[in-house]
Amino acid sequence: MDLFSPVSLGDLHLANRIVMAPLTRLRAGADGVPTDLIAEHYAQRASLGMIITEGTFPSAESRAYPGQPGIVTEEQAAGWSRVADAVHARGGRIVMQVMNGGRVSHTAITGTDRIVAPSALAIDGEVRTPQGKLPFPVPHALTLAELDTVRDEFVAASVRAIEAGLDGVEVHGANGYLLHQFLSPASNIRDDAFGGSPENRARFVIEVTTAIADAVGPGRVGIRISPSHNIQDVLETDADDVAATYGALLDGLAPLGLAYLSILHNDPTGDFVQGLRARFGGTVIANSGFGTVTTRDEAIDLIESSHADAVAIGRMAIANPDLVERWQGGHPENEPNPATFYAEGALGYTDYPRLDESVLARA
């Protein structure tokens, strides 16, 4: 197999193994409704094997950023339907990442009277809000009954995404957001069935993912994890605990028959990640590029060395709407402009140039 060959991830059939990583871009405005500009952005990248959307909030309380899109209201679902139609019209596949930000937020962002987390522990630092930078607030520790509500919000959002025409959903269990907060002993100090031991800390992530798989079919569901990412005060620094926690998580997920497992880690070929891959027993998307940009050569090697079934690409997918064509033909790449990653409008979003037709004709 090679990077440009087809692959099936459960019910998701990809024309190639280059996947667009979920990328926060904050273009949805105050109402969280995906716009025509967002539809154009994703449609431009439809030649990628699969697009994973930016993290999308399943409830007002779970919104992490101003400008983040949601999948709560009818208007938001209709916006996503237009996005899916635009991608499908160009032959692409698109999966929604469903994300509860947990304590990575502020009531000035959510418009609610609280933010939530596994435990009442605030992040040390400041958050950008429409009112400027403010200290992260102390979150409300979710009760057992409230955990059921949060799980049901994930499920309802996933069903809404499928009904809107997206091809699948990805459960966001990474990058310091709510589900990742449950996995870490630094952010989860509960003393009930969802805290304490590695098995208990993994329990809520397994329950949420199982409920989503039951609702929309496991072949349409993936999950993203980022062990030892150590971001947003979700610290995982004890190697033995990390191994036990993610081992318990994978043991709970493996029987579900999910479409894929996406692993963000700086050493995708190492024993730890490859051990998780074996434990999962299904198709795995590798993503090494949070700290450094994943290159064409690295992506090719990950597939040809059988260390992954597909590769998630972030910044180069932002800068190159025709990344597949560029990489397949060995053409030069546009460089991403980080100053526009979290800006507004088309600049740095839909205006990156495609390869000139004359270049493709000579290829």
Side-chain angles (χ1 to χ4, degrees), residues 24 65 99 101 103-104 122-124 136 172-182 184 186-187 224-237 246 264 290-291 342:
T24 300
Y65 302 106
M99 166 186 150
R103 66 180 185 169
V104 185
I123 298 172
D124 181 18
F136 279 104
H172 198 348
N175 295 21
Y177 299 112
L178 181 70
L179 296 184
H180 196 189
Q181 292 160 27
F182 271 90
S184 165
S187 48
R224 182 175 177 85
I225 59 173
S226 59
S228 301
H229 194 18
N230 296 325
I231 190 172
Q232 301 184 135
D233 283 4
V234 174
L235 304 179
E236 296 169 313
T237 57
Y246 284 89
L264 174 63
F290 198 90
Y342 311 115

Side-chain angles (χ1 to χ4, degrees), residues 46-132:
S47 62
L48 291 159
M50 184 170 72
I51 293 166
I52 304 171
T53 74
E54 60 214 281
T56 304
F57 60 87
S59 66
E61 195 171 73
S62 63
R63 188 176 197 170
Y65 302 106
Q68 181 187 6
I71 184 68
V72 185
T73 68
E74 290 183 8
E75 292 77 15
Q76 289 165 353
W80 280 117
S81 185
R82 291 190 292 274
V83 171
D85 287 347
V87 171
H88 292 154
R90 299 195 191 180
R93 296 286 177 269
I94 183 165
V95 163
M96 178 182 288
Q97 187 186 68
V98 184
M99 166 186 150
N100 186 315
R103 66 180 185 169
V104 185
S105 192
H106 195 283
T107 54
I109 295 169
T110 64
T112 60
D113 60 3
R114 66 180 192 180
I115 59 167
V116 301
S119 304
L121 300 171
I123 298 172
D124 181 18
E126 294 182 319
V127 56
R128 293 181 182 272
T129 79
Q131 284 79 51

Side-chain angles (χ1 to χ4, degrees), residues 46-295:
S47 62
L48 291 159
M50 184 170 72
I51 293 166
I52 304 171
T53 74
E54 60 214 281
T56 304
F57 60 87
S59 66
E61 195 171 73
S62 63
R63 188 176 197 170
Y65 302 106
Q68 181 187 6
I71 184 68
V72 185
T73 68
E74 290 183 8
E75 292 77 15
Q76 289 165 353
W80 280 117
S81 185
R82 291 190 292 274
V83 171
D85 287 347
V87 171
H88 292 154
R90 299 195 191 180
R93 296 286 177 269
I94 183 165
V95 163
M96 178 182 288
Q97 187 186 68
V98 184
M99 166 186 150
N100 186 315
R103 66 180 185 169
V104 185
S105 192
H106 195 283
T107 54
I109 295 169
T110 64
T112 60
D113 60 3
R114 66 180 192 180
I115 59 167
V116 301
S119 304
L121 300 171
I123 298 172
D124 181 18
E126 294 182 319
V127 56
R128 293 181 182 272
T129 79
Q131 284 79 51
K133 286 186 177 182
L134 296 171
F136 279 104
V138 176
H140 165 74
L142 289 160
T143 67
L144 291 176
E146 289 167 343
L147 289 183
D148 290 343
T149 299
V150 170
R151 179 201 62 217
D152 292 346
E153 289 169 350
F154 268 102
V155 173
S158 300
V159 170
R160 219 173 276 123
I162 298 299
E163 291 176 344
L166 284 94
D167 299 294
V169 294
E170 178 177 284
V171 181
H172 198 348
N175 295 21
Y177 299 112
L178 181 70
L179 296 184
H180 196 189
Q181 292 160 27
F182 271 90
L183 294 171
S184 165
S187 48
N188 179 354
I189 58 170
R190 301 173 72 98
D191 59 5
D192 59 15
F194 295 93
S197 70
E199 293 76 13
N200 282 0
R201 282 184 273 116
R203 189 186 308 276
F204 188 57
V205 184
I206 295 167
E207 287 193 3
V208 168
T209 309
T210 300
I212 293 172
D214 287 344
V216 303
R220 294 184 174 198
V221 179
I223 183 169
R224 182 175 177 85
I225 59 173
S226 59
S228 301
H229 194 18
N230 296 325
I231 190 172
Q232 301 184 135
D233 283 4
V234 174
L235 304 179
E236 296 169 313
T237 57
D238 182 319
D240 290 340
D241 184 82
V242 171
T245 302
Y246 284 89
L249 177 64
L250 269 296
D251 287 349
L253 297 177
L256 301 181
L258 299 178
Y260 66 87
L261 169 68
S262 179
I263 307 176
L264 174 63
H265 196 273
N266 62 8
D267 186 14
T269 66
D271 290 345
F272 174 70
V273 171
Q274 291 303 306
L276 292 181
R277 185 183 180 206
R279 206 155 181 164
F280 180 63
T283 49
V284 167
I285 300 173
N287 187 180
S288 64
F290 198 90
T292 59
V293 173
T294 302
T295 65

